Amino acid sequence: MKAVLVDHYGPPEKYRVGEIETPHAGAGQIQVRIAASSLNAIDLRLATGAFGIALTFPHVPGCDFAGTVTEVGDGVTAYAIGDEVFGHGIPRALKGMLPFPKPSLTTGTLAEFAVFEADTPFIAPRPATLPAREAAALPTAGLTTNALLAQAKIQPDETVLVIGATGGVGTTLLPALRTKRTIATTRPGDEIVGADETVGYGEYPGEIDVVINLVLPTDQLKEAAKSLKPGGRLYTITFPAPKPEYIDRDDVTFEMVLDMESGVRDVTTLIPTIMKTYSLDDGPRAMVDFAREHTVGKLVVVP
């Protein structure tokens, strides 16, 4: 089969498209013909060696996907050949390191075919009303959006500041917020849906009820915390884990959001933003663009 291949640790400029043996479903697994896949930061960071995880080369990147079941392994009863599915899988190199009770592992979705564990909440049937491209753009962004909404418990009369609003999570989260005032950090010329106003990075107004950080390292949020009212809340999806000394305020809530319970069935009412679609042959170019350019929304690869 054709796939995007990483031959050694390094930048996305070194990725290539080539032929690799098609993976087949083992016990408890499904093989999926990939209809669309979207890019996430983990796709790049693993291949650079940033996590210190030993990859087997050639490595196929890609986690989020939509596609059609083409093989069903022994013991799988939830799916049949021909089923339309979507979701995400984590590279097998991370097996044993994940906090989820039923993680979804994959051979890599930037390919014509990929194999996934079947018994996981991170894969689900794709509704007929949800196109494959949009379904592929939703899993990681949608799960994170729902986790943020559930933990932050934002009220209609609150003012919310979203830092890093132009990424895949931000552009999915903003339309889902129902607040008095939503402020988003953007760059000049960015067009995003769901923000009442936009500001530059670091230009944070005061009197904010809730700050949601999607991009800055958690130990670089002191300025953002200054914008909060007393008793405000600051939520982050980045590392390192929050510590009070990072923000120098003891009158606000400071928490990390990490969802370990919900599944992709719950994301289908959300609306993703897709900036650009690439062919599989242009998959390496998509990875370079994702790494080097400022993007608004998701980048999707369609075999």
Side-chain angles (χ1 to χ4, degrees):
M1 70 170 184
K2 185 184 293 185
V4 174
L5 302 177
V6 180
D7 295 312
H8 50 75
Y9 298 112
E13 285 82 0
K14 301 296 184 181
Y15 300 175
R16 65 183 176 92
V17 173
E19 292 291 328
I20 192 172
E21 185 176 349
T22 301
H24 293 282
Q29 299 175 335
I30 55 174
Q31 181 199 68
V32 175
R33 179 187 290 276
I34 302 298
S37 178
S38 71
L39 306 187
N40 293 291
I42 191 174
D43 303 328
L44 287 168
R45 295 194 67 190
L46 269 180
T48 63
F51 289 144
I53 304 298
L55 298 179
T56 299
F57 297 108
H59 167 71
V60 179
C63 298
D64 287 2
F65 78 98
T68 306
V69 175
T70 44
E71 286 182 1
V72 175
D74 291 342
V76 176
T77 59
Y79 300 103
I81 292 174
D83 285 353
E84 297 294 332
V85 294
F86 80 111
H88 83 113
I90 299 299
R92 290 177 172 180
L94 295 179
K95 184 178 182 180
M97 301 179 62
L98 301 173
F100 310 111
K102 290 184 177 181
S104 173
L105 303 174
T106 183
T107 55
T109 62
L110 290 180
E112 293 178 307
F113 293 89
V115 166
F116 304 87
E117 309 302 315
D119 185 18
T120 169
F122 301 112
I123 295 176
R126 176 170 66 86
T129 54
L130 182 63
R133 283 199 326 150
E134 283 72 11
L138 271 175
T140 296
L143 287 168
T144 306
T145 290
N146 280 345
L148 285 163
L149 294 173
Q151 192 162 329
K153 296 181 173 60
I154 298 167
Q155 301 302 306
D157 62 345
E158 291 185 314
T159 297
V160 180
L161 169 66
V162 181
I163 302 173
T166 58
V169 175
T171 52
T172 305
L173 172 66
L174 285 175
L177 292 174
R178 300 290 184 269
T179 64
K180 177 178 68 175
R181 180 182 175 210
T182 302
I183 305 164
T185 62
T186 64
R187 293 185 182 182
D190 288 342
E191 295 184 7
I192 55 176
V193 176
D196 296 307
E197 60 186 275
T198 60
V199 296
Y201 290 87
E203 300 173 359
Y204 309 132
E207 295 299 301
I208 301 296
D209 296 292
V210 181
V211 172
I212 296 176
N213 172 58
L214 306 176
V215 64
L216 295 178
T218 303
D219 57 0
Q220 296 179 20
L221 293 175
K222 186 173 291 187
E223 290 302 313
K226 291 179 181 178
S227 70
L228 284 167
K229 297 177 181 177
R233 291 138 28 229
L234 170 53
Y235 300 97
T236 182
I237 65 171
T238 65
F239 288 93
K243 295 180 180 180
E245 57 264 34
Y246 291 162
I247 61 172
D248 195 27
R249 288 192 67 170
D250 58 8
D251 63 331
V252 300
T253 299
F254 185 25
E255 295 178 347
M256 175 175 281
V257 175
L258 180 62
D259 177 31
M260 295 190 294
E261 297 181 359
S262 65
V264 294
R265 291 177 183 269
D266 301 323
V267 308
T268 56
T269 59
L270 299 172
I271 302 171
T273 295
I274 297 174
M275 177 178 175
K276 190 174 181 180
T277 301
Y278 301 77
S279 69
L280 185 58
D281 285 336
D282 286 332
R285 168 51 56 186
M287 297 292 282
V288 171
D289 290 350
F290 185 62
R292 310 298 179 211
E293 296 185 2
H294 173 64
T295 59
V296 177
K298 300 286 287 186
L299 302 184
V300 174
V301 175
V302 177

